[in-house]
Amino acid sequence: MDDVRIGRFQGYIERYGLTEQQVLDQVEAAFGEPLLIVASGSVIAGFGNDTSDLDIYTVVEDDVASTLPLMSYPNGARIDAIICGSQQLLHRHREISSSIWPPQEIGPGDVRAKRKSIDVITRYGLGLSLSGTDQWIAWQQRLEAEVSEWIGDWHAVEAYRMHAAAKALISHKPLVAAIRAGEALLAALERHAAAHGESYFKWKWLGEKLERLGDPKALSAYEQAVSPPLSAFDVPHYIERIENSLNFYLSDVDSSSWRLSLQPAVGTSWETFGQEQLVSRWGLRAAAVSEKSAVSEPSTWTYALTEKWDPDVEALFSEDMLWLGVQSE
């Protein structure tokens, strides 16, 4: 694997007449002496094109307030240098290593935070070490061996989450349900690709990953996932076909302890309105529910993966007023 990544790195810098030292010189020294410098991104993963930039991820001793890339253009090459403090990175690593996914409790914002952590960590773990101390190079090598499991867990949960959303939406917004079903299959295919060595954590390269694996069955499923029907009439059959593929690609996932958690989405509020409760979000949409309804006040509603939802919970979810997560018992 190292030889492949070295070749991709060398091919990129030679295209612009650069040396490895000139690349290393793009790392801003104002934040301290680098402990580890890793070349990462689509170029190192083998998906870069003529307009791709080279991502350089650096670890320094002290914390860095921002993770915005510091861009430079030596000889016309675009190099994005991202710097992270060592304790910040180690804390993120410890946190992701010691936690399970799905967690026992889930809330709005947790999914995005988890995705960001995996994205940052995998940039170091799947990249090419260009320079570093013995300690940090050893850390990067350990990390490389760990990331596939995290990526697999993440995509498995996302597949089940999107599938649950599709089932809830089909009678309310069938075309949206079809899109969610397709997203569920894409997540399952990402997990499949990662399990076979294509662990780069960027969804937009899934087709290329499956092509590189030489997997015609997965490519056919991918084409299905990105081609939702244009008519509501065709949605039930489309979702049935998607579910058949999901059963195949998720057959080894133990989801027996998983439960769906629905909670008020950010910006959702409840107000008394005569004999009813008015549920609104950001004042842009509203729904009236009975005082006796299961959703007459803010709460958390949990269901087994195959359990039927309360109709009012389903209706509020279809109006984008409830957030859906997956947690373990």
Side-chain angles (χ1 to χ4, degrees):
M1 182 62 182
D2 276 349
D3 290 342
V4 174
R5 290 179 295 197
I6 290 171
R8 293 167 184 162
F9 174 74
Q10 292 293 343
Y12 183 88
I13 65 174
E14 288 171 5
R15 187 189 317 156
Y16 293 98
L18 296 172
T19 65
E20 182 174 328
Q21 185 57 52
Q22 286 175 305
V23 172
L24 295 175
D25 289 343
Q26 306 311 307
V27 176
E28 177 57 60
F31 296 98
E33 189 70 21
L35 302 174
L36 177 68
I37 301 177
V38 175
S40 188
S42 60
V43 170
I44 302 303
F47 302 119
N49 53 42
D50 291 342
T51 62
S52 296
D53 56 331
L54 179 65
D55 295 330
I56 301 296
Y57 280 73
T58 302
V59 182
V60 295
E61 185 67 39
D62 296 330
D63 287 349
V64 180
S66 174
T67 57
L68 290 175
L70 303 174
M71 292 178 287
S72 58
Y73 303 87
N75 291 2
R78 177 175 172 174
I79 297 179
D80 289 356
I82 298 92
I83 299 176
C84 186
S86 61
Q87 295 308 308
Q88 292 171 305
L89 194 59
L90 290 175
H91 173 74
R92 196 185 292 268
H93 185 197
R94 285 192 299 269
E95 189 176 62
I96 200 170
S97 297
S98 61
S99 61
I100 61 170
W101 194 256
Q104 291 184 329
E105 294 184 5
I106 190 76
D110 291 345
V111 172
R112 178 178 295 180
K114 182 74 170 184
R115 182 174 59 233
K116 182 177 180 180
S117 290
I118 294 176
D119 188 29
V120 171
I121 284 290
T122 55
R123 292 304 183 103
Y124 288 93
L126 300 176
L128 171 69
S129 295
L130 300 179
S131 174
T133 66
D134 292 343
Q135 176 186 357
W136 277 92
I137 290 176
W139 173 84
Q140 194 262 352
Q141 292 171 345
R142 291 196 307 272
L143 189 60
E144 182 178 1
E146 298 174 356
V147 296
S148 291
E149 182 178 353
W150 304 334
I151 292 173
D153 290 346
W154 163 265
H155 288 306
V157 172
E158 282 302 281
Y160 276 94
R161 192 167 77 98
M162 291 298 103
H163 181 228
K167 290 194 297 182
L169 288 164
I170 190 169
S171 61
H172 302 271
K173 297 179 178 179
L175 293 180
V176 178
I179 293 172
R180 294 294 174 266
E183 290 172 343
L185 182 51
L186 291 175
L189 291 170
E190 284 280 13
R191 177 177 179 270
H192 172 75
H196 290 80
E198 292 291 349
S199 299
Y200 186 47
F201 196 62
K202 282 291 181 181
W203 66 268
K204 66 180 180 180
W205 300 112
L206 177 55
E208 285 79 357
K209 295 175 189 177
L210 298 176
E211 283 187 352
R212 199 152 71 182
L213 289 174
D215 192 333
K217 181 170 183 164
L219 278 167
S220 177
Y222 173 76
E223 183 177 355
Q224 181 185 67
V226 297
S227 305
L230 302 178
S231 166
F233 177 81
D234 297 322
V235 169
H237 178 60
Y238 174 79
I239 289 184
E240 182 180 352
R241 290 164 54 215
I242 290 287
E243 287 179 339
N244 289 335
S245 294
L246 286 173
N247 289 336
F248 175 79
Y249 287 107
L250 301 175
S251 61
D252 61 326
V253 177
D254 181 8
S255 60
S256 58
S257 66
W258 296 4
R259 293 183 65 82
L260 302 172
S261 175
L262 291 113
Q263 304 168 40
V266 176
T268 303
S269 61
W270 275 252
E271 294 182 23
T272 300
F273 185 70
Q275 299 300 311
E276 297 178 312
Q277 291 293 316
L278 189 65
V279 186
S280 63
R281 188 174 186 199
W282 302 124
L284 299 176
R285 61 185 71 191
V289 298
S290 165
E291 289 182 326
K292 299 180 181 180
S293 169
V295 295
S296 62
E297 60 183 26
S299 183
T300 296
W301 301 269
T302 59
Y303 297 98
L305 295 183
T306 58
E307 186 178 356
K308 185 172 178 59
W309 300 4
D310 182 278
D312 287 345
V313 172
E314 187 177 282
L316 280 193
F317 174 76
S318 71
E319 292 300 325
D320 200 29
M321 296 184 189
L322 299 181
W323 177 85
L324 173 63
V326 179
Q327 62 190 34
S328 61
E329 291 182 321

